[in-house]
Amino acid sequence: MTVDRMTALDLGYAPPFSPVWDPVLVAARKAVAAVRAGADRGAPSSPSGA
């Protein structure tokens, strides 16, 4: 599963899982934003530069 797909998960409305998944989804959203920002600047999308 990609971080982009993780941001589309609707687990915030599943009370037993919400406390666990909220930080994961926040991190996934930040990762997607960072990758998109790098792509907008023409930077490689992987940390290794490959």
Side-chain angles (χ1 to χ4, degrees):
M1 176 179 295
T2 65
V3 291
D4 199 36
R5 283 190 164 193
M6 286 181 77
T7 62
L9 293 174
D10 195 14
L11 298 174
Y13 296 102
F17 306 110
S18 184
V20 174
W21 281 105
D22 281 344
V24 173
L25 293 177
V26 168
R29 286 186 196 113
K30 290 197 176 277
V32 167
V35 169
R36 288 182 181 161
D40 289 345
R41 289 184 301 229
S45 60
S46 68
S48 65

